[in-house]
Structures are given as structure tokens and as C-alpha cells.
């Protein structure tokens, strides 16, 4: 009986230690120890840090630096597809870590309809316009019937896949797969197009050639959103449009959607 008591006691003790380690929040400096102080200030601004990289002599991005404490899974999903263009973004939403949880993050990402109507600045139109005129979940890759967003969840699944239709202001109806994975410290959310993205019926971005990866983690200073988007686009189109600008604006709207949803959950929890 005494042996069972000590076994039970030590099991609880080590469980408590593991839970404490799991709940320990990292700091921005722990994740990006070599980040320049100027950039460190920018990541706390409303739009955060965003930079375009072209695949000429290889990429130099924060996520691939040896000192960076990000999982290779976060980076390799995008880099593994050998994109022609890369956009990297780092944003920290100042928030009280006691009021925002990963469940809040998950529920914010579940609000697909929240992508509708978010504005970006169009230089050609010289105005702020909605990037996605419509945003809805659909039943699947072969079933494009709209379905509603679910009610806020009480638990986070280990993995989840959703299918999304976005009516893009420039490309019309576009179709994406959203894949969520729960990690020890955060949530990885991946957008990829499962159909060609066309312009006047001409394929501009082929199926699965655009991938945007978001990694969201509560940290000591707030909520970190690290993003990496990659695209492969034929040179005939790349020479006629500003690919970096087009992808940056779309990634920026996706980040805005996530950050606004997380901030809204934080306000509701106060």
C-alpha cells in the first residue's frame, strides 16, 4: 500500500512539472535571439514586419536562421515546394497572456466569414477596397456547397482540415484548403490553393502552388504570429504583375483576419 502511495505521489509530482513546463511562455528574444532591434520594434506595430524574398541565390529569412527557435515543420511546408517568391511576416499582438489561450486562437481561426470585407490599399484603384468580397466554408474539395462556421469550440482538435471559397477582387472565386495542427506551444495553420487561380479563365497560379503558413503562439509579450507565404508563378505573368506586392497584400489580409479575431477574443475574456 505504501509503495502504491509513493508511486501515486511521484506520478502527480512529475505530471505537475510537465504541465508547468508546458505552460511556461517563451519570450520573443528566446524565439528570435538574433533579431535586429529595429525589426524588434517593428513587429509590435499594427502591421508588423513583412519582407519579400526572391529565390535568386537562396533565401535568407528569420525562420531559417540556426539560432531561431521555430520548428522546421513551420518552414519546410513552404520551402519544400521551391517557390519563386517568398513573403515573410512577424507580428506580435500585445495582449495579457492570462486572457488569451490557444483555444481562443483556434476559435478565431474558425471564423472564416471574418475574411469577408477586410480592406487593403489598392494602388491601381487609389483606394482601400475589400480583398475578399465573399468568404465561406465549403463542404469539401469536390463539394463546394457553402456551410456555416461552427459555434466556438470547447476543445482544440489535434489536427483539422477545412475547405474555403474566397471571392477575390482580382481573381474571382478561389478555393483553399486550411490545415490546422496543434503543437506543444502553438498552432500551425496552412492555406494552400486546391484549384487553379485564374484571371479571365487563364491559370495564373496552378493548383497547390500557393501556400501561406501561419504559426501562432502565446508568448510573454502577447501573441506571436509568424507567417511565411510562397508562390510559384509562370514567368510570363511574373513579368507583368508585381508578384511580391500581390502576395504581400493577401498575406497581410490573412494576418489581419487572424489578429483581429484573436484581439476580439481577448476583449471578450476580460
Amino acid at each position: 500500500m505504501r509503495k502504491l502511495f509513493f508511486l501515486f505521489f511521484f506520478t502527480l509530482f512529475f505530471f505537475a512539472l510537465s504541465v508547468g513546463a508546458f505552460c511556461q511562455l517563451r519570450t520573443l528574444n528566446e524565439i528570435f535571439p538574433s533579431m535586429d532591434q529595429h525589426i524588434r520594434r517593428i513587429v509590435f506595430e499594427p502591421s508588423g514586419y513583412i519582407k519579400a524574398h526572391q529565390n535568386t541565390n537562396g533565401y535568407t529569412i528569420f525562420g531559417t536562421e540556426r539560432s531561431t527557435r521555430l520548428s522546421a515543420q513551420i518552414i519546410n511546408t513552404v520551402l519544400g515546394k521551391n517557390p519563386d517568391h517568398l513573403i515573410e511576416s512577424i507580428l506580435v499582438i500585445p495582449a495579457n497572456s492570462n486572457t488569451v489561450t490557444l483555444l481562443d486562437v483556434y476559435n478565431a481561426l474558425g471564423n472564416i466569414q471574418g475574411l469577408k470585407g477586410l480592406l487593403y490599399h489598392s494602388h491601381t484603384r487609389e483606394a482601400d477596397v475589400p480583398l475578399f468580397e465573399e468568404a465561406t466554408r465549403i463542404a469539401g474539395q469536390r463539394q463546394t456547397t457553402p456551410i456555416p462556421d461552427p459555434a466556438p469550440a470547447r476543445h482544440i482538435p489535434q489536427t483539422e482540415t477545412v475547405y474555403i471559397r474566397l471571392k477575390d477582387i482580382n481573381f474571382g472565386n478561389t478555393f483553399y484548403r486550411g490545415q490546422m495542427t496543434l503543437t506543444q506551444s502553438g498552432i500551425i495553420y496552412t492555406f494552400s490553393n486546391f484549384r487553379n487561380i485564374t484571371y479571365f479563365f487563364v491559370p495564373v497560379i496552378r493548383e497547390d502552388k500557393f501556400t501561406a503558413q501561419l504559426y501562432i503562439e502565446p508568448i510573454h509579450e502577447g501573441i506571436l504570429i509568424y507567417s511565411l507565404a510562397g508562390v510559384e508563378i509562370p514567368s510570363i505573368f511574373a513579368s507583368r504583375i508585381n508578384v511580391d506586392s500581390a502576395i504581400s497584400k493577401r498575406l497581410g489580409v490573412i494576418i489581419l483576419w487572424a489578429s483581429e479575431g484573436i484581439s476580439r477574443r481577448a476583449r471578450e475574456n476580460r
Side-chain angles (χ1 to χ4, degrees), residues 91-112:
L91 170 68
V92 176
I93 307 169
N96 188 331
S97 58
N98 294 323
T99 62
V100 182
T101 66
L102 281 181
L103 181 60
D104 294 318
V105 172
Y106 171 74
N107 283 324
L109 296 175
N111 179 28
I112 300 301

Side-chain angles (χ1 to χ4, degrees), residues 29-152:
N29 189 59
E30 287 179 283
I31 301 173
F32 298 105
S34 60
M35 180 181 288
D36 181 85
Q37 289 300 319
H38 173 66
I39 295 176
R40 190 177 298 277
R41 288 192 295 272
I42 294 175
V43 303
F44 286 93
E45 295 178 358
S47 299
Y49 165 86
I50 190 164
K51 184 177 180 181
H53 305 269
Q54 291 191 8
N55 191 7
T56 52
N57 297 316
Y59 298 112
T60 302
I61 60 177
F62 280 112
T64 57
E65 291 182 355
R66 290 186 178 182
S67 60
T68 297
R69 301 295 188 267
L70 284 176
S71 167
Q73 179 184 3
I74 300 168
I75 308 300
N76 291 343
T77 298
V78 178
L79 296 188
K81 295 184 179 182
N82 298 313
D84 299 319
H85 299 262
L86 268 181
I87 305 296
E88 184 182 35
S89 171
I90 306 173
L91 170 68
V92 176
I93 307 169
N96 188 331
S97 58
N98 294 323
T99 62
V100 182
T101 66
L102 281 181
L103 181 60
D104 294 318
V105 172
Y106 171 74
N107 283 324
L109 296 175
N111 179 28
I112 300 301
Q113 291 184 347
L115 281 161
K116 178 182 177 180
L118 292 179
L119 303 179
Y120 82 103
H121 186 76
S122 171
H123 294 290
T124 56
R125 295 176 175 86
E126 296 183 351
D128 291 336
V129 295
L131 178 59
F132 302 123
E133 299 171 323
E134 296 177 12
T136 183
R137 289 180 185 239
I138 56 177
Q141 286 195 194
R142 297 181 180 179
Q143 296 177 298
T144 58
T145 306
I147 59 175
D149 289 328

Side-chain angles (χ1 to χ4, degrees), residues 115 164 176-178 189-193 210-212 214 254 257:
L115 281 161
I164 304 164
Y176 296 90
R177 183 189 307 106
Y189 200 92
T190 307
F191 278 91
S192 55
N193 64 310
F210 169 80
T211 302
L214 275 68
I254 292 172
W257 160 70

Side-chain angles (χ1 to χ4, degrees), residues 18-24 26 71 73 102 158 181-188 215-218:
S18 63
V19 170
F22 179 82
C23 296
Q24 184 67 39
R26 298 194 291 180
S71 167
Q73 179 184 3
L102 281 181
Q158 191 64 42
T181 302
L182 178 65
T183 70
Q184 183 176 359
S185 301
I187 289 177
I188 300 173
Y215 173 69
I216 307 177
E217 176 184 339

Side-chain angles (χ1 to χ4, degrees), residues 148-203:
D149 289 328
R154 296 183 178 180
H155 305 285
I156 309 174
Q158 191 64 42
T159 61
E160 183 179 53
T161 301
V162 300
Y163 298 93
I164 304 164
R165 177 176 63 81
L166 302 175
K167 188 175 181 181
D168 192 293
I169 190 173
N170 294 314
F171 299 113
N173 284 327
T174 55
F175 297 87
Y176 296 90
R177 183 189 307 106
Q179 296 177 297
M180 189 278 297
T181 302
L182 178 65
T183 70
Q184 183 176 359
S185 301
I187 289 177
I188 300 173
Y189 200 92
T190 307
F191 278 91
S192 55
N193 64 310
F194 65 83
R195 290 190 182 181
N196 292 343
I197 296 176
T198 62
Y199 188 72
F200 288 107
F201 305 104
V202 178

